[in-house]
């Protein structure tokens, strides 16, 4: 029997396929008879999945309402309304760590120490695997939502779509339709948008996060938040590195830097003046506009060094060149800052990059939920040194998730390279 998350992923995949056909027709291209038939089948499949999801959600609500406690210490109750978003992940991790990875003992800890009988029930009946404990589907959306502030690509508006079977194929708009002037009695030239495939396939991200055992011993809800934040930050930081600058080798996603067209990699002017800085930023804007990018969610991403330079930049009269930065804008578009964009690029090791992206065209395909495993004896690298978790009274939390990243419209990303602006 399929669980709720699997059904939700399947429905999202069906919806993506329907949207691709609708986009094609919206662009002016007529659907073939086979595509019209396929649209009807997808519509029926979507309705069937929706009905199944509604029934499962209703069953889960009823089960939570009549659930029996694992012991007599606490009454049964559904998920606590006052719990912060994602706090459940912190409770799950703390409970598994305290129980040495045993879900049954972890369930007892969640109930008696964390006052979370709903999580205790999930741990007691949840799914384990050789790689760790699979976080129940009902708690995964909270984790994904918490990744938004931890990952600038997500925060800037990249769209998340579940991948039902670990792969997802969508249409990628490669060229627009055209129009022509004609003389009387001349056939009208045919014209339609060109589409190509965007193929996503799951890539495994493994985050190794050391957590203080003192946090595990505390019963305060603040401890749940700290454990949760450590895990989410570990995933979010590595995600940003992948979605921005990974090149697709060694089973990684292809980031923005390597999805950009060659003509959209624009070197910064070596002479740093106020006018040249304005011109360089304008070149990125022009690159997107010339690519017929809709600019629905345009935004900049840059390194902290670049931001501080732009904040300090003044003209000959001492006026700030970009005063809107104080309001989170640069040239009327939002920006985000991340250390995932290095400052040690280029021949001299002193260059950085600035990205301008219409994030409405950025797609994150989510293949699975989240798998948690723990180790109290493992070691990890810290500042180039091998550190023992046991000697530091820490527990290593391994979080595994699977996803991929792609752009639906390649001209929607432009990169200013060789940026040597320094405050």
């Amino acid at each position: 029997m399929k669980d709720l998350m699997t059904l939700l992923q399947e429905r999202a995949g069906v919806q993506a396929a329907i949207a691709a056909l609708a986009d094609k027709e919206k662009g002016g291209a007529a659907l073939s008879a086979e595509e019209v038939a396929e649209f009807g089948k997808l519509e029926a499949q979507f309705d069937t999945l929706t009905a199944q999801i509604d029934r499962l959600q209703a069953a889960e609500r009823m089960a939570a309402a009549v659930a029996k406690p694992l012991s007599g210490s606490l009454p049964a109750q559904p998920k606590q309304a006052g719990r912060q978003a994602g706090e459940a992940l912190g409770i799950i991790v703390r409970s598994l760590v305290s129980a040495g990875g045993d879900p049954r003992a972890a369930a007892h800890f969640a109930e008696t120490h964390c006052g979370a009988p709903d999580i205790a029930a999930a741990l007691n009946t949840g799914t384990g695997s050789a790689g760790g404990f699979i976080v129940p589907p009902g708690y995964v959306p909270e984790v994904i939502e918490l990744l938004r502030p931890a990952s600038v690509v997500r925060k800037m508006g990249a769209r998340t779509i579940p991948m039902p079977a670990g792969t997802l194929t969508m249409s990628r708009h490669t060229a627009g339709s055209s129009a022509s002037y004609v003389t009387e009695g001349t056939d009208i030239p045919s014209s339609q948008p060109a589409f190509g495939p965007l193929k996503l396939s799951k890539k495994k991200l493994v985050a190794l996060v050391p957590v203080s055992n003192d946090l595990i011993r505390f019963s305060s809800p603040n401890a749940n938040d700290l454990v949760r934040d450590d895990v989410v930050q570990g995933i979010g930081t590595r995600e940003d590195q992948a979605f921005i600058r990974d090149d697709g080798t060694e089973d990684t996603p292809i980031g923005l830097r390597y999805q950009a067209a060659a003509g959209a990699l624009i070197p910064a002017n070596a002479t740093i003046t106020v006018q040249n800085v304005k011109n360089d930023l304008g070149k990125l804007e022009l690159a997107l506009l010339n690519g017929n990018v809709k600019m629905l969610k345009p935004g900049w991403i840059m390194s902290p060094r670049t931001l501080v330079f732009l904040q300090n930049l003044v003209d000959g009269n001492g006026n700030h060149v970009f005063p809107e930065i104080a309001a989170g804008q640069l040239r009327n578009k939002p920006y985000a800052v991340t250390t995932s964009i290095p400052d040690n690029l280029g021949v001299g090791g002193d260059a950085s990059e600035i990205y301008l992206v219409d994030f409405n065209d950025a797609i994150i395909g989510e293949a699975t939920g989240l798998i948690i495993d723990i180790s109290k004896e493992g070691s990890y690298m810290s500042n180039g040194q091998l550190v023992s978790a046991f000697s530091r009274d820490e527990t290593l939390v391994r979080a595994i998730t699977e996803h991929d990243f792609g752009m639906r419209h390649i001209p929607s990303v432009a990169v200013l390279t060789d940026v040597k602006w320094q405050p």
Side-chain angles (χ1 to χ4, degrees):
M1 180 179 177
K2 296 178 180 179
D3 60 24
L4 180 59
M5 179 56 69
T6 298
L7 291 173
L8 288 169
Q9 290 176 336
E10 286 188 9
R11 186 175 68 173
V14 171
Q15 189 277 329
I18 290 174
L21 291 172
D23 285 346
K24 180 177 180 180
E25 195 166 36
K26 188 186 301 180
L31 299 181
S32 66
E34 291 79 8
E35 288 173 326
V36 171
E38 179 66 14
F39 191 97
K41 291 179 182 178
L42 290 170
E43 188 176 17
Q45 187 180 355
F46 184 91
D47 292 340
T48 299
L49 289 169
T50 297
Q52 289 179 280
I53 290 168
D54 289 343
R55 288 192 293 270
L56 272 181
Q57 288 176 332
E60 287 188 357
R61 287 194 300 270
M62 296 174 194
V66 300
K68 294 181 180 180
L70 296 176
S71 69
S73 60
L74 287 170
Q77 55 183 328
K79 182 178 178 179
Q80 296 177 8
R83 188 182 299 154
Q84 294 186 26
E87 185 182 344
L89 175 63
I91 296 175
I92 290 172
V93 172
R94 286 183 61 211
S95 301
L96 287 170
V97 171
S98 69
D102 181 358
R104 302 294 180 266
H108 179 74
F109 182 92
E111 180 186 21
T112 58
H113 289 76
C114 301
D118 60 308
I119 295 178
L123 286 163
N124 207 30
T125 60
T127 305
S129 74
F133 179 79
I134 300 176
V135 175
Y139 300 107
V140 173
E142 295 182 11
V143 179
I144 299 300
E145 190 61 30
L146 283 170
L147 283 172
R148 290 191 180 277
S151 163
V152 298
V153 174
R154 291 181 185 267
K155 180 172 66 176
M156 294 298 286
R159 291 191 284 179
T160 301
I161 298 179
M163 294 192 294
T167 60
L168 178 65
T169 300
M170 304 175 62
S171 64
R172 186 183 345 233
H173 196 187
T174 59
S177 57
S178 62
S180 304
Y181 287 100
V182 298
T183 59
E184 188 70 24
T186 303
D187 291 337
I188 300 174
S190 61
S191 171
Q192 63 181 25
F195 291 86
L198 168 61
K199 296 182 179 180
L200 303 180
S201 61
K202 64 181 182 181
K203 310 292 190 299
K204 181 186 290 186
L205 170 61
V206 182
L208 201 62
V209 183
V211 176
S212 167
N213 286 331
D214 285 340
L215 291 178
I216 305 302
R217 301 181 186 109
F218 295 152
S219 59
S220 167
N222 290 333
N224 301 332
D225 297 345
L226 289 170
V227 171
R228 171 204 66 194
D229 292 345
D230 282 347
V231 175
V232 170
Q233 190 62 47
I235 296 174
T237 299
R238 186 61 186 92
E239 266 195 4
D240 261 359
Q241 295 170 4
F243 295 166
I244 296 173
R245 297 203 87 254
D246 273 7
D247 60 6
T249 60
E250 300 181 356
D251 296 319
T252 63
I254 301 176
L256 293 167
R257 171 64 176 75
Y258 295 96
Q259 293 204 41
L265 302 176
I266 303 168
N269 195 309
T271 302
I272 303 173
T273 66
V274 169
Q275 190 57 53
N276 284 343
V277 168
K278 288 183 175 180
N279 291 345
D280 284 341
L281 296 176
K283 289 176 183 177
L284 295 190
E285 295 170 323
L286 184 60
L288 266 62
L289 293 173
N290 282 340
N292 293 317
V293 177
K294 296 180 180 178
M295 305 293 274
L296 297 177
K297 292 181 182 177
W300 311 86
I301 51 177
M302 65 190 76
S303 74
R305 186 187 79 178
T306 302
L307 173 65
V308 173
F309 171 86
L310 294 174
Q311 286 175 323
N312 293 343
L313 189 62
V314 295
D315 60 21
N317 297 319
N319 300 313
H320 286 287
V321 177
F322 302 110
E324 70 274 17
I325 283 181
Q329 298 277 316
L330 176 61
R331 295 169 70 97
N332 298 317
K333 288 175 281 294
Y335 68 83
V337 176
T338 174
T339 55
S340 294
I341 299 177
D343 291 326
N344 60 352
L345 302 173
V347 177
D350 59 349
S352 188
E353 296 169 336
I354 300 176
Y355 293 70
L356 179 61
V357 183
D358 185 354
F359 287 95
N360 187 65
D361 291 327
I363 303 294
I364 301 171
E366 298 282 1
T368 66
L370 187 64
I371 300 175
I372 298 293
D373 199 9
I374 60 100
S375 172
K376 294 185 177 181
E377 294 79 28
S379 300
Y380 62 97
M381 297 299 295
S382 176
N383 296 323
Q385 300 293 321
L386 188 63
V387 176
S388 167
F390 181 82
S391 66
R392 287 197 174 185
D393 191 25
E394 295 174 331
T395 296
L396 286 179
V397 177
R398 186 181 69 184
I400 299 176
T401 185
E402 294 176 311
H403 53 234
D404 201 3
F405 177 77
M407 294 296 297
R408 288 196 68 193
H409 190 45
I410 292 300
S412 292
V413 52
V415 185
L416 188 67
T417 64
D418 206 29
V419 176
K420 299 184 179 181
W421 307 341
Q422 299 192 37

